[in-house]
Amino acid sequence: MIPPVTQTPMLRTEALAKGFTLHLRDGLHIPVLAGVELTAYAGECVVLSGPSGAGKSTLMRALYGNYRADSGRILVRHRHAEIDIATADPRAILAVRHETLGYVSQFLRVVPRIPTLDVVAEVLTARGRSQEEARAAATAMLLRLNIPARLHGLPPATFSGGEQQRVNLARGFIAEHPILLLDEPTASLDAANRDVVVTMVREAKTRGAAIVAICHDAEVRDSIADRLFPLPPLQEAA
Amino acid sequence: MSGQTLISGRGLSLSFGRVTALRNVDVDVWPGEMLAIVGESGSGKTTLLNVLAGRVSPDRGIVQYRDPEDTLHDVHAMPAPTLRTLHRSDWGFVHQDPRQNLRMAVSAGGNVGERLMARGARHYGNIRAQALDWLAQVEIDASRIDDLPRTFSGGMLQRLQIARTLVTHPRLVFMDEPTGGLDVSVQARLLDLIRSLVARLNIAAVLVTHDIAVARLLAQRIAVMQRGEIVETGLTDQVLDDPRHPYTQLLVSSVLTT
C-alpha cells in the first residue's frame, strides 16, 4: 500500500495558459489562465481557491483534457510515465481517463433510459469486472450515498439535483482512479451526504490517490484539503 | 499512439458539377471506436460516408481499409465483387431509412437470416436461432419473427435494420442518421441499444448525424464539416465543450438545451 502524501507528483502543470476566443462576438479573446504551476502528489487533496470567475473550473476541465490548453504542459503520471494532456492525441487522453484520471463534474450526463444501477456498474464492467461483481459494488456504493434501492432500477433523469450529484459521485469514486478531479462535489448535498463524501475523499487519499478539488463549502474544504492552491483572477494578477 | 487504423481516407475531394462536396478531407478510424461526422445539411458528411464505404468514388484521394489479416486494400481500386463481399461480411451500413436496407417482402427473421446466408450459412435451424437471438437483442418480440416489416413501426424497422446489419459481426459499421426521423423516446432507446451493442461487440463505426447530442452520447471522436471540409476534429467532449472554429462555435451555440 502507498503511504499517504508521498513525494510522487501525480499531476503537475507547467506554465499552463488558457483563454477563449469568441468568434460569435467578433473574435473577442478572454484570457482565463496564465502561468499556472500546480502540483498534486499521491495521497493529498489540493483545493483550488479563488473568487468566482478566477478560472477554477476552467483549470479543472483543462486538467481533464476537456478544455484545450493554449500553451504550457499538463503532465499526468500514467502507467509509470508522464503524459502531457495538453498535446496527447484523443485516444491517449481516453486511455488516461480510463485508467488514471477520474472527474466528477457538477452535472450528470448519461444516455437516457439506462437504470441508475447500470449507470454506475458500467464504470466497472468497462474495466473488465463481471456484471454481477459490478452490480454488487454499484449497489453498495449507491446505498452508501443514500440512494435507496427502490431508485436503483430507474434512470437518473427524473432524480433531484442532489440525487443526480450522488449518482455522479458514485460513478466518480467507484473506479478508484489514481487521480481524481472533483468540481464542487458537495454543492447540492445535505449535511449527512456531505459527511459521506468527506469520508470517501479521505479513503481515496489513504489508498494513495491525488485529488484536486473545487469546494466552496468551508467546512467540507477544511475537512478534505491538505493545502489550498490560490488562483487569482488574471485581471488582478496582470 | 499504438495501433493501426482500420480505415483511412487521405486527400479526398469530390465535386458534383460546380458544387464541391469534399475538399481535401483526411479521416481515420481505429478499431473499436466511433467517429461522429457532424455538420449541417449539404456540408458533405453523407458524401464522405459514402466515399469511405466505397459507394461513391472520389475525384481525388484514397481510402484504405485494413482487413483482419492486416492487409491494406484501396477501397476504390477493388473489383466490385470484392467490395460487395466486404459489405456482406466485414462491413455494415445502417441507413436513415431502414427500407433502403430491409427487404420489405421478406419476414423479419428472413431479413436477419439473409445476411447470414449471404455469408454462407446453410443450416436452417441455426439461422433461425440466430435471427431469434438478434431480434431479442434489438428488443423485438420473438412472436414477430414471421411478420413482414411493413407491419412494424418506424422504431422497430430501425432496430430490425440494426439486427440485420450486426448479425454478421461486422468490424466496421457506417451509420447515416440512424436516429433521424424517430420520436424522442424511440430515439433514446435506439441510442442506448447502438451504444451497448457497439461496445460489447467492439465494433468501429462512422456515424453521420446533424444532432450533436447524439454525437456526444455515442462517439469518442468527432469531425465537424462545413462546405466539404473538416474544419475541426478531436475528442468529442473537447470539441463540443471548447469549440475553436467559428462554425463549431455557431453549431454548439445553436443547440436547444432543456
Side-chain angles (χ1 to χ4, degrees):
Chain A
M1 180 155 163
I2 305 162
V5 193
T6 63
Q7 290 306 302
T8 311
M10 296 297 291
L11 175 66
R12 59 194 176 101
T13 66
E14 291 175 354
L16 176 62
K18 169 69 187 166
F20 296 95
T21 302
L22 307 180
H23 293 288
L24 301 181
R25 293 180 57 192
D26 298 324
L28 175 68
H29 184 76
I30 304 171
V32 180
L33 304 172
V36 175
E37 308 263 344
L38 166 76
T39 304
Y41 292 95
E44 73 165 345
C45 174
V46 180
V47 174
L48 307 181
S49 75
S52 284
K56 299 188 295 294
S57 287
T58 298
L59 175 54
M60 285 290 240
R61 284 170 172 255
L63 296 178
Y64 193 58
N66 176 233
Y67 283 178
R68 290 174 275 199
D70 294 339
S71 60
R73 304 209 292 168
I74 301 166
L75 299 165
V76 170
R77 181 154 289 276
H78 173 69
R79 294 185 185 169
H80 310 293
E82 282 188 323
I83 180 165
D84 183 3
I85 293 292
T87 54
D89 75 43
R91 295 182 325 119
I93 293 177
L94 289 176
V96 170
R97 289 179 182 177
H98 185 78
E99 284 178 40
T100 306
L101 189 60
Y103 176 60
V104 180
S105 73
Q106 296 177 60
F107 311 101
L108 181 65
R109 205 176 240 147
V110 291
V111 178
R113 216 177 70 105
I114 299 182
T116 298
L117 185 64
D118 292 337
V119 165
V120 179
E122 73 176 13
V123 176
L124 292 180
T125 50
R127 284 163 180 77
R129 307 269 285 271
S130 75
Q131 190 78 254
E132 298 71 40
E133 209 184 333
R135 287 202 166 151
T139 303
M141 183 60 95
L142 287 166
L143 290 174
R144 189 174 180 197
L145 285 157
N146 299 305
I147 304 283
R150 67 187 158 77
L151 295 182
H152 294 186
L154 303 175
T158 55
F159 289 7
S160 73
E163 285 163 345
Q164 291 199 7
Q165 183 166 28
R166 281 177 277 146
V167 174
N168 227 0
L169 284 160
R171 272 177 67 93
F173 275 90
I174 203 164
E176 301 196 336
H177 287 105
I179 306 168
L180 257 184
L181 309 174
L182 307 175
D183 190 350
E184 289 286 1
T186 60
S188 33
L189 301 188
D190 60 20
N193 283 307
R194 277 202 299 273
D195 290 346
V196 174
V197 174
V198 167
T199 309
M200 284 170 44
V201 170
R202 285 187 181 145
E203 288 172 4
K205 288 199 284 185
T206 305
R207 68 170 164 81
I211 295 169
V212 179
I214 298 172
C215 185
H216 284 117
D217 182 316
E219 205 178 308
V220 173
R221 189 178 59 218
D222 294 345
S223 328
I224 62 173
D226 293 290
R227 59 193 172 90
L228 300 180
F229 181 81
L231 200 62
L234 264 196
Q235 298 88 307
E236 289 171 26
Chain B
M1 196 63 201
S2 64
Q4 289 174 308
T5 58
L6 187 60
I7 192 163
S8 293
R10 284 293 173 272
L12 299 173
S13 296
L14 177 60
S15 298
F16 298 115
R18 295 216 315 272
V19 181
T20 303
L22 295 178
R23 194 195 306 265
N24 202 22
V25 170
D26 292 342
V27 66
D28 291 301
V29 180
W30 276 271
E33 74 163 357
M34 194 179 300
L35 170 72
I37 302 172
V38 302
E40 61 198 6
S41 302
S43 60
K45 52 191 195 302
T46 297
T47 303
L48 176 56
L49 190 75
N50 284 328
V51 167
L52 287 175
R55 293 156 52 92
V56 173
S57 293
D59 295 335
R60 279 189 307 283
I62 183 169
V63 177
Q64 287 194 306
Y65 169 69
R66 189 182 303 276
D67 74 14
E69 280 75 48
D70 207 30
T71 306
L72 282 175
H73 299 270
D74 180 341
V75 168
H76 293 280
M78 249 182 225
T82 314
L83 186 62
R84 269 201 303 278
T85 306
L86 204 55
H87 269 283
R88 275 202 298 262
S89 53
D90 279 19
W91 292 4
F93 205 106
V94 174
H95 296 269
Q96 176 173 2
D97 180 2
R99 290 168 193 83
Q100 267 186 271
N101 196 348
L102 295 171
R103 302 230 309 196
M104 300 305 281
V106 172
S107 71
N111 263 287
V112 179
E114 194 181 52
R115 276 270 290 191
L116 290 171
M117 287 165 68
R119 220 186 43 175
R122 287 292 172 267
H123 189 282
Y124 176 78
N126 288 350
I127 291 169
R128 190 171 171 90
Q130 281 201 56
L132 267 174
D133 177 49
W134 268 94
L135 291 180
Q137 291 199 53
V138 298
E139 302 172 21
I140 293 174
D141 196 273
S143 67
R144 306 295 301 268
I145 188 169
D146 296 319
D147 293 352
L148 291 178
R150 64 178 163 76
T151 66
F152 285 13
S153 67
M156 282 174 77
L157 283 177
Q158 195 53 283
R159 281 180 276 132
L160 181 61
Q161 182 187 202
I162 288 170
R164 175 178 163 96
T165 307
L166 298 189
V167 67
T168 53
H169 288 248
R171 304 166 71 216
L172 175 62
V173 176
F174 303 94
M175 300 191 206
D176 190 5
E177 301 276 8
T179 61
L182 297 173
D183 288 345
V184 175
S185 61
V186 177
Q187 205 182 69
R189 184 179 190 184
L190 199 65
L191 287 175
D192 175 17
L193 193 74
I194 292 173
R195 205 182 72 123
S196 57
L197 289 174
V198 163
R200 190 159 52 75
L201 302 173
N202 198 32
I203 294 169
V206 185
L207 167 77
V208 161
T209 179
H210 68 277
D211 186 339
I212 62 177
V214 168
R216 186 189 278 280
L217 286 176
L218 293 180
Q220 290 89 13
R221 290 194 305 118
I222 193 169
V224 181
M225 288 193 75
Q226 183 193 27
R227 291 195 285 267
E229 287 181 86
I230 292 181
V231 295
E232 187 161 9
T233 183
L235 269 183
T236 304
D237 66 278
Q238 214 173 47
V239 170
L240 296 181
D241 290 339
D242 187 12
R244 290 195 167 177
H245 190 274
Y247 177 68
T248 317
Q249 291 189 357
L250 179 67
L251 201 66
V252 169
S253 66
S254 306
V255 175
L256 299 174
T257 47
T258 54

